[in-house]
Amino acid sequence: MRKLTGVLTALLLLAQVGGAFAQQSDFEVIESFKKKSQALSASLRTAQDLRQAAAIESEIGRLQTEYAQQKALLAEGLYPSTFDAAMNSLRDQAQEARERIRKAEESRQDKAKIVEYAKKSEADAKTITEITRQNTEYQAANAKLTQEIKDLGERIQQLTTENTGLIEQVKSLQAQGKKDRASIAKLKELSEKLNANIRDRDALVIKMMDSLFAEYGKGELTDAQKKDLFVSVQGKDYVGRIVSTLDGNVRYAETALFSAQDLKAAHAEERKLAAKWDEIKPFVAKIYPDAQSRDRDVATVDARIADWRKSIDATAWKSIHQLFVSQGVDIGPFADAGEFRTRLLAYVDAQTREPSRERFLAFKEKVWDSPLKDQWLPLIREQEISAAQRAEMDQRVAAWAEAIATQLRKRALMGVLAAAVLIGLAVVLLRRKKPAAA
């Protein structure tokens, strides 16, 4: 009986101890849940970005899984709340945290956009200021250019009118054919004035080209500004002025007689204006609204430049022929390099066969050595008379000189022989007279 009573007492004590241990474990569970839920709640309040909020939500899910079996116990410990209510509260807080973070991010983005817009606005303001400045400069430059082209056009027209009158005077004097000193001096004066006017007018046209396309080539001009510039130029018949100038140059070359210096100057003027035209031709083409007008006018200028070059060449040969005529050396008519070579070689060969020292000296000293060989021929293009052909002409003239030298040597020999014969006759006569005297 005493043993049974002891066992029962021991069991009762164990039951009491076990109950105490069970109660302590429930308390710890409840406290642990509270601490974890409070820590998660605090983390949600301080979360700075959505990635942190998502990580905390994952922890909330693990917390729910970990304590799901303790709902009843937690309901007692959280009373009057419940486990589900506590979890829903955490999820609501997570949602609020996401919304707070989203709004904060939007606010930061808005501020960044405001800063960006402010910078762009400042840049736009600077751009507007710069465009305004460029427009002001463009308007001033365009006004200046318009006036300059107008002034140049008026001066070009004055020179064109004056040149027309000078050409007529030159033609009239040439037709009269007067050889007196006064007429020659007057013709020279008119020709020099005409040459100077031609150079001045060409220089003005080139200046007009440079003025226009230096302005066009500026990088800050907009397409609209360039279009306005070309419209203005087209209205002033820009290409027409170039064609008119070239026509005047062709007429002058067709009626004039050149000196070698005139030919050199004419070649330089032609090359200079042709090079400038080639430079601006692509820009001039943009003036035209239609391809037909553009092609027609550009082709017209190209043709006039080619005509000018041909007329210079033709006048050069006409002037060289006049050089022969003026010195009384008749090699026959010629109008180009081929005819000149044929006539010259035929003349020299004929003179070589029947050499005349007087004709040779007149040809060599007044025509061949100067001005033809040292002034005119260096201005003739290689395509017209090659180096080999020039050497051939020199050889033929040298052969003529050799024929003259041979003729002189023969004459000298004949003189020596004649003197010897005379001396011999004199000796014979003297010998015959001596015996008779004795």
Side-chain angles (χ1 to χ4, degrees):
M1 180 64 75
R2 289 179 180 176
K3 290 183 178 179
L4 179 61
T5 303
V7 172
L8 290 173
T9 301
L11 291 173
L12 179 61
L13 288 172
L14 288 172
Q16 289 175 348
V17 172
F21 288 153
Q23 289 175 0
Q24 184 178 6
S25 177
D26 290 344
F27 175 79
E28 289 176 351
V29 169
I30 293 170
E31 288 303 312
S32 175
F33 176 81
K34 287 181 178 180
K35 288 179 181 180
K36 290 182 179 180
S37 63
Q38 288 170 358
L40 290 173
S41 178
S43 297
L44 287 171
R45 288 193 297 271
T46 59
Q48 296 298 315
D49 56 53
L50 294 176
R51 186 172 55 184
Q52 291 178 354
I56 295 170
E57 284 189 273
S58 296
E59 291 298 323
I60 292 172
R62 281 194 289 272
L63 180 67
Q64 184 172 12
T65 302
E66 181 182 354
Y67 289 92
Q69 300 300 322
Q70 306 292 336
K71 277 188 178 184
L73 175 62
L74 292 172
E76 294 177 3
L78 298 175
Y79 183 83
S81 184
T82 64
F83 172 76
D84 290 335
M87 296 309 302
N88 288 336
S89 175
L90 285 174
R91 295 194 185 282
D92 289 342
Q93 291 176 50
Q95 179 64 31
E96 291 172 358
R98 283 199 305 273
E99 186 65 19
R100 172 179 58 78
I101 292 170
R102 183 185 63 77
K103 289 180 178 179
E105 181 64 26
E106 288 179 353
S107 177
R108 283 194 296 271
Q109 291 177 356
D110 290 342
K111 288 179 181 179
K113 286 181 180 179
I114 290 171
V115 172
E116 182 182 350
Y117 290 153
K119 290 181 179 179
K120 186 176 184 302
S121 177
E122 182 180 357
D124 288 344
K126 290 180 179 178
T127 301
I128 291 170
T129 301
E130 179 63 17
I131 290 174
T132 302
R133 182 190 66 78
Q134 290 177 6
N135 284 341
T136 301
E137 290 182 358
Y138 163 73
Q139 290 169 0
N142 197 25
K144 179 182 177 182
L145 178 63
T146 300
Q147 184 61 45
E148 185 175 344
I149 291 178
K150 179 182 177 183
D151 295 341
L152 288 172
E154 290 175 355
R155 178 60 181 147
I156 290 169
Q157 186 57 47
Q158 290 174 359
L159 286 173
T160 300
T161 302
E162 185 176 346
N163 288 353
T164 301
L166 288 171
I167 288 174
E168 292 303 318
Q169 292 181 58
V170 169
K171 288 169 64 176
S172 176
L173 279 174
Q174 290 174 341
Q176 292 173 20
K178 293 182 179 180
K179 301 297 182 181
D180 60 278
R181 184 174 299 176
S183 297
I184 294 172
K186 182 64 176 176
L187 182 59
K188 181 180 180 182
E189 177 188 351
L190 290 174
S191 296
E192 289 177 352
K193 174 62 176 173
L194 186 54
N195 284 333
N197 280 5
I198 293 288
R199 289 193 295 271
D200 288 346
R201 186 178 60 183
D202 291 347
L204 289 173
V205 170
I206 290 175
K207 183 178 180 181
M208 184 170 66
M209 294 178 183
D210 284 335
S211 297
L212 173 66
F213 292 101
E215 189 66 29
Y216 173 81
K218 287 183 178 178
E220 63 265 21
L221 288 183
T222 65
D223 290 341
Q225 289 170 343
K226 292 175 182 178
K227 181 179 179 181
D228 290 342
L229 189 60
F230 278 122
V231 168
S232 174
V233 169
Q234 190 176 12
K236 294 175 179 59
D237 192 22
Y238 181 83
V239 173
R241 294 184 189 280
I242 299 174
V243 172
S244 176
T245 295
L246 292 170
D247 283 343
N249 292 352
V250 170
R251 286 196 300 273
Y252 163 66
E254 288 174 346
T255 59
L257 281 175
F258 287 157
S259 66
Q261 291 75 17
D262 293 336
L263 176 61
K264 185 176 181 180
H267 277 160
E269 288 298 308
E270 182 271 324
R271 285 193 294 268
K272 191 191 311 180
L273 202 150
K276 180 58 63 175
W277 169 246
D278 287 340
E279 178 184 340
I280 70 169
K281 191 191 310 185
F283 300 113
V284 172
K286 296 180 182 179
I287 295 175
Y288 293 87
D290 63 283
Q292 184 176 0
S293 299
R294 177 197 65 207
D295 294 345
R296 180 198 63 215
D297 284 3
V298 168
T300 298
V301 176
D302 287 340
R304 289 296 193 280
I305 290 176
D307 290 343
W308 186 17
R309 188 176 296 120
K310 290 176 183 176
S311 66
I312 290 173
D313 290 343
T315 299
W317 291 113
K318 182 172 64 175
S319 301
I320 292 173
H321 181 265
Q322 182 61 32
L323 166 66
F324 281 86
V325 172
S326 66
Q327 297 302 326
V329 178
D330 185 11
I331 69 172
F334 57 86
D336 56 39
E339 292 179 355
F340 166 72
R341 285 182 52 255
T342 299
R343 294 287 187 182
L344 179 69
L345 294 177
Y347 174 81
V348 171
D349 289 346
Q351 297 301 320
T352 302
R353 289 191 294 272
E354 298 180 5
S356 164
R357 186 169 183 273
E358 291 74 15
R359 285 196 296 272
F360 175 75
L361 290 177
F363 171 82
K364 187 174 187 300
E365 295 175 0
K366 296 182 179 180
V367 178
W368 181 249
D369 284 348
S370 184
L372 189 62
K373 191 175 176 181
D374 66 342
Q375 297 180 38
W376 282 99
L377 288 183
L379 301 177
I380 303 302
R381 284 186 281 267
E382 180 75 13
Q383 297 92 320
E384 294 186 83
I385 300 181
S386 68
Q389 291 169 336
R390 294 167 200 254
E392 181 186 13
M393 290 189 289
D394 264 334
Q395 291 167 3
R396 298 288 186 90
V397 173
W400 185 6
E402 180 60 28
I404 297 296
T406 300
Q407 185 184 62
L408 291 176
R409 285 195 294 271
K410 287 180 179 179
R411 287 178 181 177
L413 179 60
M414 292 298 294
V416 170
L417 291 175
V421 169
L422 289 174
I423 291 171
L425 289 173
V427 170
V428 170
L429 290 173
L430 286 173
R431 285 177 178 176
R432 287 180 180 180
K433 287 180 180 179
K434 284 182 179 180

